[in-house]
Amino acid sequence: MRRYVIVGNGVAGTSAAEQILAHDSQAKITMFSEEPDPFYYRPRLPELIAGAAELESFTLHGPAWYRDHGIDLHLGEKVTQVDRAARRARTAKGLAAEYDALLLATGAHSFIPPVDGADKKNVFALRSAQDARAIRAAAKEAKSAVLVGGGLLGLEAGHGLIRLGLGVQVVEFFDRLLPRQMDVAGAAKLQGILERMGFSFYLGAKAKQVLGSGQAAGLSLEDGRQLQGGLVLFSAGIRGNIQLAQDMGLKINNGVVVDDRMRTSLAGVWAAGDHIEHQGRLYGIWPAAKEQGEAAGIDMAGGEASYRGTIMSNSLKVAGVDLTSAGDVDADDLLQAAVYQDDEAYRKIVMAEGTIKGCLFLGLTKGVKECLQAMESGVQVGHLASEMKKKDFDFSRLLA
Ligand SMILES: Cc1cc2nc3c(=O)[nH]c(=O)nc-3n(C[C@H](O)[C@H](O)[C@H](O)COP(=O)(O)OP(=O)(O)OC[C@H]3O[C@@H](n4cnc5c(N)ncnc54)[C@H](O)[C@@H]3O)c2cc1C
């Protein structure tokens, strides 16, 4: 009987467990998670802030699922040490499990930039259900909030606060929203839509200090402006949880380095999810962590798997705003693009050498799926470029 230890109960860890079970009927799986809550769909956390959903409604597998599948799940157990020679993982509370195959699926944590006063009460970042509950509790006492970071995740969390009736002031270092997912024209259109919802924006601005004595009362900016707010929410990116990998001496570049089978530099140890680096890329998105977890699980159990990378695709989950951005949106307008725009919508299909390299759909949803498929398969569509500029272009023609 082969013994598997999985550190992390997120999508990478659980997808791996599912594949191990499918490929090894004798598997003995032990899983540890630092969090007390069982596997849930992290992207819906802003709804927990808004009180629009309970955690149970987006819990993907409760403890019973693990029990029924013979997985020994330990919640609230942080693995703090792995003995490479003995092949044994140990938790802070003293639990130990020996393995033949170990998966590090430890994910990531929020990055808090070095801003003075960031350790004050009512300063938050959103990564876990525990964070969401704490933000919701603080929001009940506040009239407005300051959000540092105008990325997708920040805007979704900010929208959770707006739904609670708070005014949300967004401080963004770049001079436009979603700098990684949007070009200038798309970002300007999105900004207008969000302002009408209750967001206000401070672009090209840098956070200096969290105001307030002991408890956050707002934020000062480098340019001298002061924003008032009963809570401050940082959404300034993530950092991989690489401590264990580091302690074990695994090869690390910007993330834990893995090959196409999700193997690390140490025999018997795999890694998958937000903290890994595959072919020089870090992802930080759900579908990538899922595919990596699946590949890891198959390989750990002796099957054939190969991870080839995931196309970066993001959607903004703010009610009333349809936005999908994928691949290279050519923010500097250097490539060929088919653009359609009107007062409500903006659509850009970016092409190079006749294939789709990226796309941006704001206020339009028709054709997203087909466009992503065409992008993934690398099909030649150059001959349709001028027709794609029309609002009602039939995107199924990309796949014909
Ligand atoms: C608010 C929010 C919105 C998001 N929206 C989207 C979206 O719209 N689309 C999208 O694609 N992605 C989105 N993401 C990102 C997505 O959730 C992540 O890419 C995904 O959850 C990564 O999965 P993972 O399994 O690698 O890591 P995680 O989900 O972070 O899970 C890691 C697990 O490891 C545990 N762990 C860590 N260290 C230890 C240790 N030492 N011992 C024991 N356990 C440990 C943690 O407790 C956790 O259970 C969002 C994320 C957030 C926070």
Side-chain angles (χ1 to χ4, degrees), residues 7-14 32-35 37 39-46 77-80 105-110 126-128 152-153 156-157 238 241 244 272-275 283-290 292 313-315 317:
V7 186
N9 178 229
V11 62
T14 303
F32 294 105
S33 178
E34 188 178 358
E35 285 180 77
D37 302 299
F39 179 39
Y40 55 90
Y41 188 55
R42 226 172 265 287
R44 284 188 63 189
L45 284 176
E77 288 281 354
K78 180 175 184 173
V79 174
T80 48
T106 47
H109 60 274
S110 306
L126 177 62
R127 180 73 193 179
S128 65
L152 279 171
L153 206 146
E156 288 171 5
I238 56 169
N241 292 327
L244 274 180
D274 276 2
H275 65 310
Y283 287 92
I285 56 169
W286 185 277
K290 182 170 189 293
Q292 292 163 7
S313 160
N314 287 289
S315 300
K317 293 174 298 307

Side-chain angles (χ1 to χ4, degrees), residues 150 170-180 182-185 187-188 191 201-206 331-332:
V170 183
V171 177
E172 168 57 52
F173 177 72
F174 283 90
D175 56 4
R176 66 173 195 273
L177 296 179
L178 306 184
R180 281 186 299 145
M182 296 290 258
D183 65 358
V184 174
Q191 185 176 336
F201 294 99
Y202 299 80
L203 302 177
K206 198 159 178 239
D332 299 319

Side-chain angles (χ1 to χ4, degrees), residues 230-294:
L231 72 94
V232 174
L233 181 58
F234 281 97
S235 184
I238 56 169
R239 295 291 180 271
N241 292 327
I242 56 169
Q243 189 64 52
L244 274 180
Q246 227 158 24
D247 294 348
M248 290 173 73
L250 303 187
K251 185 172 176 203
I252 295 171
N253 192 23
N254 289 316
V256 178
V257 176
V258 295
D259 65 13
D260 292 352
R261 294 187 289 181
M262 312 315 293
R263 295 180 179 194
T264 67
S265 56
L266 183 65
V269 182
W270 285 254
D274 276 2
H275 65 310
I276 67 109
E277 178 178 326
H278 173 258
Q279 291 182 3
R281 296 194 70 177
L282 287 95
Y283 287 92
I285 56 169
W286 185 277
K290 182 170 189 293
E291 289 166 23
Q292 292 163 7
E294 286 167 354

Side-chain angles (χ1 to χ4, degrees), residues 72-83:
D72 195 11
L73 172 66
H74 300 275
L75 297 172
E77 288 281 354
K78 180 175 184 173
V79 174
T80 48
Q81 196 202 342
V82 177
D83 183 332

